[in-house]
Amino acid sequence: MLYGSRFLTEDAPDGPFPEDGMSALDAMRLVDEEMVLEGDPWRNLATFVTTWMEPEAQRLIAENLYRNFIDHAEYPISAEIEQRCIRMLANLFNAPGETTGCRTQGSSEAIMLGALSLKWKWKQRREKESKPTDRPNLVFGGDVHVVWEKFCRYFDVEPRIVPLREDKYTIGPEDVEPHIDENTIGVAAVLGTTFTGHADDIVGIDELLVGLKGDKGLDVPLHIDGASGGFVWPFLYPDSKWDFRLEQVRSINVSGHKFGLVYPGIGWLIFREKTDLAEDLVFYENYLGKTDATFTLNFSTGASMVLAQYYNFVRLGRKGYTYVMKAMETNAKALAEKLEESGNFELIGADKEQLPLVAFKLVEGKSYDEFDVSWQLSAERGWMLPAYTMPPKAEEVKVLRALVKQTLSREQVDRLAGDLQTACETLDAKGGAHPSERHKMKASPGY
Ligand SMILES: *Cc1c(COP(=O)(O)O)cnc(C)c1O
């Protein structure tokens, strides 16, 4: 092609498997040109997932892209680095002694594995007492991520979901208690919900479970879904107990690719003690000449993100992570203040321990809703700032949510606040952007 690229005037292949290939240059341009119109991560205030890493980390990632993490026999150093990360996380989460855990593709895989271990441990306890094992249930709030319901359906466990309320978006011991019985494999509590960024009353739930153990001999383990909060609370609220300092907390998942500050593709599952991992779920196999223990749903995957996680741990340390989290928190507070001052919005739970985000809604009496604001803001400046409805029993409440991450500088925060003000002025003048029926289905907060 002398002038421009082939796809200037041709459609991109999108159906049948291509018969002929093309030059590397054409292929690269074809994909590059498609990606130009992809969403811009710098304006993405919806995602919890990391969109920026330092060039040195990017180099490490690029240099190790070919490395299959699961080939422990060939790549023992990557496996050792995984173990270092697990020990550091266990320490960060205040494990009392020797622990075990694993890297996963994200918190979803970590939750599936953690919950499977709860199920197996429960089964073992029941079998020892010669009691039936056919009706396991799992207790959690309506404020959890969809993966918890997925686990229940995929692995045949009855979900006992505590509904939220119009004015309460997390759960506590009084909500959980009526749902627990001898078939309860565990309780899951969230540290940093996707809906408003708050935590369930983990201390209260732990107290309840400790009490049940004493009174009724029911040993119900507590799993903490710290997908987002697991890398926020230790640095912003180090004195707040939610982790292995609490007796019934037996396992924790955390997403390395959220506030662990690594690109997508890494999560962690950490057990309190080695015995909290059901031995039946570990497979020992002789693979490529070495006996290897595996506890995963996936098999082959890149080693790069494990190395990138280790890079962040040694690069930042506690002080560095604290600095980054505080910077985000400071900017989130600045945004929250501006939104409140504008008179258009009210904040949701801004006085409580929270992820570095701003959850807010319109003040009463507007002629348009939160979905209109989200749409108008995107139309005017391209910001992706989601609106959604809350989960069952609180679904009348509509929320807007802005993640305030490392990439959102104070200048951008000020601009965003101004743009939200302008969007409201536009909507004040012209009314709602579209009929409210259209977005009723789009209730997911996005992750
Ligand atoms: C993001 C998230 C998940 C799912 O985690 P992935 O790392 O995206 O698989 C689960 N629970 C909570 C609370 C989350 O925020």
Side-chain angles (χ1 to χ4, degrees):
M1 228 1 88
L2 189 52
Y3 310 109
S5 93
R6 190 175 132 189
F7 295 100
L8 195 60
T9 51
E10 270 177 44
D11 286 340
D14 67 351
F17 197 88
E19 203 51 50
D20 301 311
M22 62 179 80
S23 74
L25 189 65
D26 275 347
M28 184 188 74
R29 288 207 176 147
L30 167 62
V31 180
D32 260 357
E33 282 162 15
E34 297 269 9
M35 296 317 285
V36 169
L37 289 186
E38 183 63 294
D40 176 6
W42 292 85
R43 295 172 199 227
N44 185 352
L45 306 172
T47 187
F48 286 92
V49 174
T50 304
T51 50
W52 179 84
M53 289 188 77
E54 292 178 324
E56 290 79 3
Q58 292 188 28
R59 197 181 113 180
L60 278 177
I61 289 167
E63 283 170 352
N64 288 280
L65 281 174
Y66 54 79
R67 211 177 290 287
N68 186 2
F69 178 75
I70 204 74
D71 290 346
H72 292 171
E74 291 71 37
Y75 304 131
I77 312 285
S78 298
E80 164 55 22
I81 287 179
E82 177 208 31
Q83 293 304 311
R84 288 183 198 169
C85 290
I86 289 167
R87 288 193 290 270
M88 289 176 182
L89 283 171
N91 175 252
L92 188 68
F93 299 161
N94 296 293
E98 204 185 341
T99 60
T100 188
C102 56
R103 76 146 286 291
T104 59
Q105 207 57 31
S107 278
S108 299
E109 189 192 3
I111 286 167
M112 296 276 176
L113 290 171
L116 274 172
S117 191
L118 292 179
K119 188 179 174 188
W120 251 251
K121 295 296 283 186
W122 165 82
K123 214 167 124 206
Q124 283 169 4
R125 288 196 296 277
R126 300 283 288 172
E127 278 166 356
K128 232 163 70 197
E129 300 165 356
S130 306
K131 290 189 175 150
T133 59
D134 55 338
R135 308 211 41 205
N137 70 67
L138 180 63
V139 179
F140 50 84
D143 54 342
V144 298
H145 185 275
V146 63
V147 63
W148 286 97
E149 278 183 73
K150 267 194 196 168
F151 164 79
C152 288
R153 199 170 310 165
Y154 292 178
F155 294 102
D156 217 9
V157 171
E158 178 202 340
R160 294 200 173 163
I161 308 173
V162 184
L164 304 185
R165 286 188 255 147
E166 286 271 309
D167 56 348
K168 191 163 172 276
Y169 311 135
T170 53
I171 59 163
E174 67 288 356
D175 304 308
V176 168
E177 187 166 19
H179 298 281
I180 297 178
D181 60 27
E182 57 179 17
N183 286 317
T184 302
I185 65 169
V187 175
V190 191
L191 186 76
T193 73
T194 54
F195 298 98
T196 63
H198 297 110
D200 288 335
D201 178 0
I202 297 173
V203 168
I205 295 171
D206 179 69
E207 268 171 25
L208 167 76
L209 298 180
V210 170
L212 278 179
K213 196 160 63 171
D215 299 346
K216 298 195 188 160
L218 266 188
D219 187 3
V220 180
L222 180 53
H223 175 98
I224 304 300
D225 180 353
S228 288
F231 277 116
V232 173
W233 260 254
F235 307 114
L236 288 188
Y237 317 111
D239 297 327
S240 191
K241 290 190 183 142
W242 61 273
D243 54 15
F244 297 125
R245 284 168 286 184
L246 303 176
E247 191 176 326
Q248 287 304 97
V249 175
R250 313 302 307 187
S251 46
I252 297 171
N253 68 273
V254 63
S255 294
H257 54 217
K258 288 183 177 173
F259 294 95
L261 308 175
V262 178
Y263 286 134
I266 183 100
W268 301 93
L269 173 63
I270 309 290
F271 290 97
R272 180 192 196 87
E273 291 168 27
K274 284 195 155 171
T275 51
D276 288 307
L277 165 58
E279 188 56 25
D280 286 352
L281 296 176
V282 182
F283 281 76
Y284 296 91
E285 54 198 327
N286 195 308
Y287 190 69
L288 300 176
K290 187 173 169 261
T291 304
D292 202 13
T294 58
F295 176 48
T296 60
L297 294 179
N298 302 302
F299 197 68
S300 296
T301 189
S304 278
M305 297 310 160
V306 174
L307 307 182
Q309 184 78 80
Y310 182 65
Y311 168 89
N312 274 355
F313 287 177
V314 298
R315 155 87 174 112
L316 294 170
R318 273 185 207 260
K319 284 192 185 134
Y321 268 102
T322 304
Y323 175 86
V324 174
M325 298 302 148
K326 287 220 153 115
M328 295 184 197
E329 183 191 44
T330 305
N331 279 348
K333 282 197 165 33
L335 177 62
E337 238 167 65
K338 286 204 152 69
L339 295 185
E340 209 170 28
E341 273 168 20
S342 77
N344 289 316
F345 302 106
E346 65 184 85
L347 307 174
I348 298 173
D351 50 337
K352 297 196 206 114
E353 292 181 355
Q354 196 182 20
L355 298 173
L357 56 78
V358 186
F360 57 108
K361 54 187 180 150
L362 283 166
V363 294
E364 301 266 312
K366 293 278 185 186
S367 62
Y368 48 90
D369 72 3
E370 286 76 0
F371 289 89
D372 294 322
V373 174
S374 172
W375 189 86
Q376 189 65 37
L377 185 70
S378 159
E380 286 178 4
R381 183 82 81 162
W383 294 113
M384 292 170 258
L385 192 159
Y388 46 90
T389 53
M390 293 296 285
K393 297 281 156 74
E395 65 262 68
E396 293 306 314
V397 182
K398 296 173 197 167
V399 180
L400 287 155
R401 186 196 68 203
L403 264 290
V404 180
K405 297 195 298 191
Q406 258 178 309
T407 43
L408 204 69
S409 65
R410 181 60 67 85
E411 186 62 29
Q412 306 287 36
V413 164
D414 293 347
R415 187 165 290 140
L416 172 61
D419 289 345
L420 272 160
Q421 173 72 20
T422 310
C424 285
E425 281 163 14
T426 309
L427 290 166
D428 280 329
K430 73 167 183 151
H434 42 35
S436 56
E437 290 312 309
R438 254 192 54 196
H439 41 64
K440 282 256 162 76
M441 304 159 46
K442 274 183 46 190
S444 158
Y447 312 106

